[in-house]
Amino acid sequence: MKEWTLEERYRVLNDAEEIRDLHERIKKSVYRQKFHVQPVTGLSSDPNGFVFHEGKWHLFYQWTPWGAVHGLKYWYHVTSKDLVHWTNEGIGLKPDSFYDNKGVHSGSAISADGQLYFFYTGNHRDENWVRTPYTCAAKLSADGKPQKLPEPLFGPRDDYSEHQRDPKVVYRPENNTYYILIGAQTLDEKGTVLVYRSQNLLEGWVFAGQLNVPGYEAFGGMWECPYIVNISGKDVLIFSPQYTTLPGRASSTNHNVYLIGHMDYDTLTFTPESDYQYLDFGFDFYAAQGAANVNDPDKAILISWIGLPDNHYPTEPEEWEGSMTLPRELRLSGNRLIQTPVEGISTLRKNEIPAEGKLPEYGEMEATFTGTDTDLVLYTKADGSGGFSIHYDSDKKELTVDRTGMDKHFNENVGEVLSVPLPDVLKKLQIFIDRCSVEIFINDGEATFTSHIYPTEAEHNYTITNYNSLKIWQYEASVEDSFVV
Ligand code: FRU
């Protein structure tokens, strides 16, 4: 693995030409995605600024241009009309001010009064590498690029640690007030959320207080990327707790969870109605962000990073890694979220291919089951050996995903075997396979499992037992690997 110096990781990109050759090389990788947003070069991590504005979806991702390493972060901009086909738009926000001298970190967007606003963390570090996180704003200008406000909206509070970041703006029509949720850490290193409020998006922000979440006062050491959304009359708090291990998640210390309950904006109390639940059960899923301006009281639209903060992936030697999940629709059913792939994804079905044991290079597989024990093994070799195994145990009503059979092993510490408890018997799997990722939607969205996967040339078959029906489609590509910076 390449050892990066601080200087290399935090090098400023002055001219797109500096990374053109890098892109040319990366483009040739057999793992470049065909229907998932991925970094133009280098590393992509959190989704940022996800919003619907004037007929178009805008999405940004945290981006380090130089290679598969976390360093100086930019917001790279992509747009879509349908959440299926994506166009590269180039850099959205770059670290070019005092306040963000060491990175434009995560944040969100909101469309209001025909204008598009962005809120992000300016990651400032001084010469002794001491960090000061600023909450900053920008507005979409006529040239289609975010224009930064010269001064931050507010700085960090000194009664919390330096971990205060990832502003998510939420509008509450009941009192015509905007709220900013900030992922934070208390001085005794507990994860929490700080809440600010204002009647105006670009001024007047005051600290409202720390969010109370009864029962979650000591749940992880930092809550990254918090988000609260109302779906069908209930509030859902989604966040990424860090620095803790959680049951069923091997020794990973980075998670993405949700709570369903009631948010009282007057007392700043989120009262959960049930235990926390995993947003996704896979090996690689983090920093999920809901889109703003969806305008449907019964659903939210969410996208996430396929990756985890401390992980390393086999494309690192190729100097790129990371990608976004497919956008997913969230609905509520009792006390759980139902997650389905974005409506319209099936328009990519180019042709149905015969279910004869070979996987498409990228596409979709849909299988229905009888509810008995089942084995579906993806990416086996032609003789049926190895692969990425999905086993359903009907006694335990549990799905177990085991990737120990794959040729390429990585991040063994986050587990190579993970299980998904199901509320009901296994009836259906809908699986999206791209060139380096797999997303499994179980029983029409009762649970999901997202993972990176790097099959070798010999690993392109599958085996399946005890199923009712099986359909496989080759997809059309919906992302272009174009060099726009
Ligand atoms: C989450 C995160 C955020 C931060 C960003 C920096 O993965 O650590 O909290 O803003 O990434 O890239």
Side-chain angles (χ1 to χ4, degrees):
M1 213 192 325
K2 177 176 157 64
E3 287 294 328
W4 291 79
T5 63
L6 212 55
E7 212 177 18
E8 286 169 327
R9 283 166 47 198
Y10 284 86
R11 190 174 146 199
V12 174
L13 178 67
N14 289 312
D15 185 340
E17 290 310 310
E18 294 177 278
I19 52 169
R20 187 184 287 277
D21 289 349
L22 185 59
H23 174 77
E24 281 305 312
R25 285 205 303 278
I26 289 169
K27 238 170 97 168
K28 300 190 182 113
S29 168
V30 296
Y31 297 117
R32 289 298 275 175
Q33 300 277 58
K34 291 293 188 175
F35 61 102
H36 288 81
V37 172
Q38 64 193 330
V40 59
T41 59
L43 176 140
S44 62
S45 53
D46 310 4
N48 294 154
F50 190 22
V51 62
F52 185 70
H53 175 69
E54 306 210 318
K56 231 190 326 200
W57 295 90
H58 294 261
L59 172 69
F60 300 75
Y61 54 76
Q62 284 282 285
W63 179 49
T64 312
W66 304 107
V69 67
H70 292 273
L72 188 66
K73 296 284 175 91
Y74 293 68
W75 278 30
Y76 187 94
H77 189 192
V78 293
T79 57
S80 176
K81 289 247 185 247
D82 57 6
L83 292 173
V84 175
H85 298 84
W86 293 95
T87 306
N88 285 350
E89 303 284 355
I91 291 171
L93 285 167
K94 58 180 165 211
D96 58 1
S97 83
F98 170 85
Y99 301 106
D100 55 26
N101 68 336
K102 291 294 178 265
V104 180
H105 282 191
S106 284
S108 58
I110 195 165
S111 171
D113 307 324
Q115 308 273 353
L116 188 49
Y117 301 88
F118 303 93
F119 299 83
Y120 62 94
T121 299
N123 184 49
H124 174 83
R125 285 193 189 267
D126 68 12
E127 55 290 354
N128 299 317
W129 210 246
V130 174
R131 168 148 68 177
T132 310
Y134 293 98
T135 297
C136 306
K139 209 171 150 178
L140 198 73
S141 61
D143 68 355
K145 294 283 168 200
Q147 181 81 40
K148 289 178 182 175
L149 256 60
E151 295 296 321
L153 299 177
F154 49 87
R157 294 185 61 82
D158 56 16
D159 47 354
Y160 290 84
S161 87
E162 60 160 348
H163 295 292
Q164 300 176 49
R165 55 179 177 265
D166 310 340
K168 176 71 185 171
V169 179
V170 178
Y171 177 63
R172 206 173 157 247
E174 290 88 329
N175 58 354
N176 186 32
T177 301
Y178 294 99
Y179 293 84
I180 286 182
L181 309 174
I182 298 276
Q185 182 187 60
T186 61
L187 287 175
D188 61 350
E189 300 187 352
K190 304 285 188 286
T192 188
V193 177
L194 303 182
V195 185
Y196 290 74
R197 65 161 182 260
S198 174
Q199 233 92 41
N200 299 301
L201 278 165
L202 298 185
E203 59 189 20
W205 287 96
V206 293
F207 179 58
Q210 179 181 327
L211 185 70
N212 305 307
V213 189
Y216 291 83
E217 292 79 7
F219 184 71
M222 164 67 188
W223 289 6
E224 295 193 315
C225 306
Y227 164 50
I228 297 176
V229 61
N230 190 281
I231 308 178
S232 300
K234 290 204 181 173
D235 294 305
V236 186
L237 169 61
I238 293 175
F239 60 104
S240 296
Q242 290 190 297
Y243 311 130
T244 184
T245 53
L246 293 177
R249 305 298 301 157
S251 39
S252 178
T253 55
N254 299 295
H255 315 274
N256 213 162
V257 303
Y258 70 92
L259 289 165
I260 292 176
H262 174 70
M263 175 65 194
D264 184 332
Y265 282 90
D266 297 325
T267 62
L268 296 183
T269 303
F270 186 98
T271 311
E273 284 180 4
S274 49
D275 281 351
Y276 74 89
Q277 299 177 64
Y278 299 121
L279 199 48
D280 187 282
F281 288 84
F283 300 110
D284 304 288
F285 186 98
Y286 196 72
Q289 181 172 114
N293 304 95
V294 171
N295 296 333
D296 181 333
D298 296 319
K299 82 171 183 202
I301 296 182
L302 189 95
I303 195 161
S304 178
W305 168 26
I306 306 181
L308 289 181
D310 306 315
N311 278 6
H312 294 277
Y313 296 93
T315 51
E316 279 187 19
E318 300 177 354
E319 306 196 85
W320 73 280
E321 75 183 27
S323 67
M324 297 292 116
T325 60
L326 295 178
R328 19 173 108 174
E329 300 188 352
L330 309 187
R331 290 186 179 74
L332 207 67
S333 170
N335 64 357
R336 74 194 289 142
L337 286 176
I338 298 296
Q339 305 183 53
T340 50
V342 61
E343 199 187 308
I345 194 70
S346 57
T347 58
L348 295 182
R349 292 174 181 171
K350 189 157 101 187
N351 54 293
E352 191 173 337
I353 61 172
E356 290 170 350
K358 230 179 160 21
L359 291 173
E361 199 192 348
Y362 45 96
E364 181 191 340
M365 182 182 246
E366 193 182 88
T368 59
F369 300 95
T370 55
T372 52
D373 285 12
T374 295
D375 284 286
L376 169 59
V377 190
L378 303 174
Y379 300 105
T380 56
K381 305 220 165 86
D383 65 2
S385 65
F388 183 91
S389 138
I390 305 165
H391 171 73
Y392 175 63
D393 181 322
S394 58
D395 287 337
K396 292 195 201 151
K397 280 207 209 145
E398 193 174 79
L399 207 71
T400 299
V401 178
D402 180 343
R403 59 176 176 177
T404 52
M406 294 295 292
D407 281 348
K408 284 195 202 276
H409 295 263
F410 48 97
N411 303 317
E412 284 95 329
N413 62 309
V414 305
E416 289 200 289
V417 183
L418 289 176
S419 292
V420 189
L422 300 185
D424 200 356
V425 298
L426 178 67
K427 285 176 272 186
K428 185 172 166 191
L429 293 177
Q430 194 179 8
I431 304 178
F432 297 90
I433 59 173
D434 206 341
R435 288 162 99 197
C436 68
S437 66
V438 161
E439 283 154 286
I440 307 171
F441 290 81
I442 304 158
N443 288 350
D444 291 315
E446 277 177 355
T448 64
F449 191 105
T450 299
S451 180
H452 266 307
I453 189 161
Y454 300 86
T456 56
E457 220 175 303
E459 297 173 312
H460 281 289
N461 294 72
Y462 68 85
T463 59
I464 186 167
T465 63
N466 294 341
Y467 65 99
N468 265 339
S469 66
L470 177 64
K471 283 178 177 248
I472 303 171
W473 293 270
Q474 168 70 45
Y475 264 20
E476 267 165 36
S478 68
V479 295
E480 354 142 306
D481 209 349
S482 56
F483 185 69
V484 183
V485 175

